[in-house]
Amino acid sequence: MTPARRLLTAYAGLFYFFLYGPIAFLTVLSFNDSNLVGLPLRGFTFKWYTIVTATPELMHAIADSIELGMATAAIATGIALMMAIGFRRDVPLKSLIMKLLLLPIVIPGIVGGVLLTIFFGYFDISNGLWTTVLAAHITWTLPFAFLTLFPRLHNFDRSLEEAAMDLGAPPAMVFRRVLLPLIRPGIISTLLFAFTLSFDEFIRTMFVIGGESTIPVYLWNLISSQMPPFLPAVGVVIMSISVVVSVLGFVISQRFDTMRKRA
Amino acid sequence: MPYLSLDRRQLLGAAASLTALGLPTRSDADEPTAIDTLLVNAVVSGPLKAIIQKEANCILQDAPFQTSTDVVARLNAPGGTSRFDLMGSSFEFSQTPILGVKPGTEKVLALDLSLIPNYSQIVDAALPGIGKRDDKVYMIPYCWGFDSVVFNRDHVPEDDPYTQSWGALFEDKYAGHIGWYDVAVLSMCAAGLYLGHPEPYKMDKPELEEVIRFLSLKKKNVRAFYTTFAQCINLLQAGEIYIGYGALPIRAELKQKGFNVGYASPKEGVMSLTNELYIPKDAKNPRVAHAVINAMLGAEYAGQLSKVSGYLSTSKHAPEMLTPEERMTYGYGVLEGTVKHVGEYFPTNINAWIEGWARVKSA
């Protein structure tokens, strides 16, 4: 092995260590039979996972986050799809509107949270999971959903749609029978991406949430006041949900690609 | 075959009975009302929440609490006076921004004391903490907290003279095992008290410089800075630090975990604060909010508050519900006048304090 290759291998090793080391460490700690979040390791136990599943507030927060993530993903993807279709044509102020659409990405989360608090305050909208938090999550995920969908539609061969229309298909049928099947993998991956963004969102949520808790907010409460020993287990559960959703997206996307190639 | 015969009157009677069975046994007025609160989470958790909900016949929906500054900022933000039914923060800091500079600028309701019979149960020591204007009461003190030196009794003897002073946080004896709370005002006040300034929040520039120099010099003894109570708890449990700047909830949590925790009463005085309750002026459920305030000054709540959260109740009911030993352990001496305390006030030259603390941290 040449010195350059050795150096590259060491670099790659360190890269993966710092990337996945904390996740692996958190997983190890979640099975540590100790009342302390940290070392030393004192034995193996499943009890923290038992506590996690037996804590109603925690399970409720997880359920709320999942439901909110699903609603956010569906609404943000729907809006992003309509905008991506619309932006295939030249519309007045297209460039400006696109920049405005992407604004939530460049605004720091804490500033976004303050802005949302003021905005909802002026309109006297009560804090709640399905009012302010849902709106905050949609504004946060919408630009990402748009950025995921727009390139797929932008590169789409429009002659396929034109051919369908030449054969007498009305616009709704063209969308349903031509466009939708071809961009379906993109829609599914956008849905899943939007879900994970919503599921993990914390800063903006903190500003606009009421008496309910999403899982990141619940976790923050635990971390700031108690540091309970089941904390790593909560982290692993949250991580697992995000990983499952990502893997699901990858599998579905692969399956559609295979089906399309076969067709 | 015998058959059941019913005349019209019997049929109507039976129908009425069946309908009555199907009706709820309580009227709508008895149904618990959901109210939105923003209070220190520890004071409305577990059994404390259950007590309040039962006594005030409500469902408490408490939002995540960050700091008193955050609570006041939320109250003053657009729509802030209608977002919550009941809010809470520390008195010394909150009074001016909540009551405003002149009559009529209050962000909160004048309380209807007839709905809070337990108002008369507030201990004398807490009376100065009542937020009043023109004989109207706007803010009610419901609990006291104080900060002191928290330590691991396995490593630091209870009778160690260092624990009788804030000096434990600074002097060399426990070098490498000390934790400082990364909050400029509190940590610098603690140092100010140790250096002989009885009202540290009033320190002038030369006195502040003296504190900054002292802290910069002693920083070498510090093992870790922490920003949350949970971090302090974890550092003590892990044995990373033996001594730290500690608030009451830290001690309560460590006790519940069976940790051998000690809590000092520095001769310079512990640093105390009063937590207040107030109802934003456009609250949607002010009547229930009054009932919650009353419950939080009630006997059952007062008896449980210290056990669950570590904070001290301002209600006269608390001593009745606790043994003398419990009162001593929880630190009721602060309220009873046997433990010296200094109020946590906001320094007027806060910028100089924050700049000074930054210098200490980068020293």
Side-chain angles (χ1 to χ4, degrees), chain A residues 201-245:
Chain A
E201 214 296 315
F202 170 68
I203 302 174
R204 293 159 192 81
T205 313
M206 195 66 184
F207 279 89
V208 295
I209 200 159
E212 307 102 328
S213 271
T214 60
I215 192 67
V217 171
Y218 185 86
L219 200 59
W220 179 85
N221 267 337
L222 286 180
I223 289 169
S224 56
S225 60
Q226 299 171 26
M227 200 77 88
F230 60 80
L231 207 58
V234 181
V236 171
V237 169
I238 296 170
M239 216 161 50
S240 304
I241 293 170
S242 293
V243 168
V244 166
V245 171

Side-chain angles (χ1 to χ4, degrees), chain A residues 93-131:
Chain A
L93 304 172
K94 179 178 170 179
S95 172
L96 179 68
I97 297 169
M98 280 181 80
K99 284 186 179 73
L100 284 174
L101 180 68
L102 302 179
L103 209 56
I105 295 179
V106 293
I107 293 176
I110 194 156
V111 177
V114 172
L115 290 176
L116 288 165
T117 305
I118 293 170
F119 176 80
F120 293 132
Y122 272 123
F123 289 96
D124 202 22
I125 300 168
S126 300
N127 285 357
L129 207 60
W130 299 109
T131 52

Side-chain angles (χ1 to χ4, degrees), chain B residues 42-337:
Chain B
V43 304
V44 284
S45 63
L48 296 173
K49 185 176 185 176
I51 292 167
I52 297 168
Q53 293 191 146
K54 192 179 118 209
E55 289 193 13
N57 191 29
C58 68
I59 297 163
L60 217 59
Q61 298 176 157
D62 195 45
F65 179 92
Q66 296 177 66
T67 58
S68 287
T69 336
D70 174 65
V71 175
V72 173
R74 282 174 190 251
L75 181 70
N76 281 282
T81 52
S82 62
R83 199 167 285 138
F84 295 99
D85 297 305
L86 184 65
M87 299 173 95
S89 58
S90 65
F91 180 66
E92 289 78 7
F93 159 71
S94 314
Q95 192 183 17
T96 307
I98 287 173
L99 293 187
V101 287
K102 56 182 183 203
T105 56
E106 296 86 7
K107 296 276 179 186
V108 292
L109 284 180
L111 298 171
D112 181 349
L113 298 179
S114 67
L115 298 174
I116 311 171
N118 285 327
Y119 176 76
S120 60
Q121 297 299 316
I122 295 174
V123 293
D124 293 345
L127 294 179
I130 295 173
K132 279 184 179 177
R133 174 174 279 160
D134 299 335
D135 291 332
K136 290 178 186 162
V137 172
Y138 292 89
M139 302 166 79
I140 285 190
Y142 72 102
C143 81
W144 273 48
F146 63 86
D147 299 347
S148 175
V149 179
V150 63
F151 56 93
N152 181 344
R153 290 203 298 192
D154 290 341
H155 295 281
V156 182
E158 191 90 61
D159 55 357
D160 187 325
Y162 277 97
T163 64
Q164 311 308 310
S165 156
W166 284 101
L169 281 177
F170 309 112
E171 294 304 345
D172 299 345
K173 184 172 181 185
Y174 295 103
H177 298 287
I178 296 170
W180 280 2
Y181 193 26
D182 193 359
V183 175
V185 174
L186 299 179
S187 288
M188 290 169 80
C189 270
L193 280 171
Y194 181 55
L195 294 176
H197 304 292
E199 293 180 306
Y201 48 90
K202 287 184 179 171
M203 284 190 290
D204 59 20
K205 205 171 174 190
E207 290 168 338
L208 204 58
E209 275 302 317
E210 179 201 358
V211 167
I212 293 165
R213 272 198 307 278
F214 173 73
L215 287 171
S216 301
L217 200 69
K218 295 298 180 185
K219 193 191 151 200
K220 62 180 170 53
N221 294 339
V222 176
R223 171 78 176 178
F225 286 82
Y226 46 85
T227 54
T228 66
F229 293 172
Q231 284 173 335
C232 177
I233 290 166
N234 212 42
L235 285 165
L236 278 162
Q237 275 191 299
E240 290 270 322
I241 61 170
Y242 300 157
I243 292 176
Y245 181 102
L248 286 173
I250 294 176
R251 183 183 64 166
E253 185 68 27
L254 285 166
K255 263 186 172 299
Q256 280 167 16
K257 288 181 171 177
F259 185 80
N260 194 13
V261 59
Y263 207 62
S265 295
K267 59 178 183 286
E268 301 90 357
V270 296
M271 286 198 282
S272 65
L273 61 101
T274 319
N275 279 317
E276 307 280 320
L277 294 169
Y278 41 87
I279 303 174
K281 68 175 181 188
D282 301 313
K284 293 177 179 78
N285 295 297
R287 203 174 176 83
V288 185
H290 278 88
V292 171
I293 295 175
N294 193 50
M296 291 175 83
L297 292 171
E300 204 177 345
Y301 182 87
Q304 287 294 318
L305 180 64
S306 302
K307 291 173 188 166
V308 177
S309 72
Y311 289 110
L312 315 178
S313 170
T314 57
S315 169
K316 285 176 188 166
H317 291 299
E320 298 161 11
M321 305 296 284
L322 300 169
T323 64
E325 195 192 355
E326 281 176 328
R327 289 210 297 276
M328 197 183 76
T329 307
Y330 294 131
Y332 272 84
V334 170
L335 277 166
E336 290 160 0

Side-chain angles (χ1 to χ4, degrees), chain A residues 55-78:
Chain A
T55 308
E57 296 89 8
L58 184 51
M59 297 313 287
H60 200 258
I62 291 175
D64 277 350
S65 278
I66 291 174
E67 288 166 19
L68 186 70
M70 286 163 71
T72 302
I75 297 168
T77 307

Side-chain angles (χ1 to χ4, degrees), chain A residues 152 176 179-189 252 256:
Chain A
R152 287 179 183 258
R176 206 175 63 247
L179 191 62
L180 198 59
L182 288 169
I183 61 164
R184 193 173 289 154
I187 292 174
I188 291 169
S189 55
I252 293 170
F256 273 114

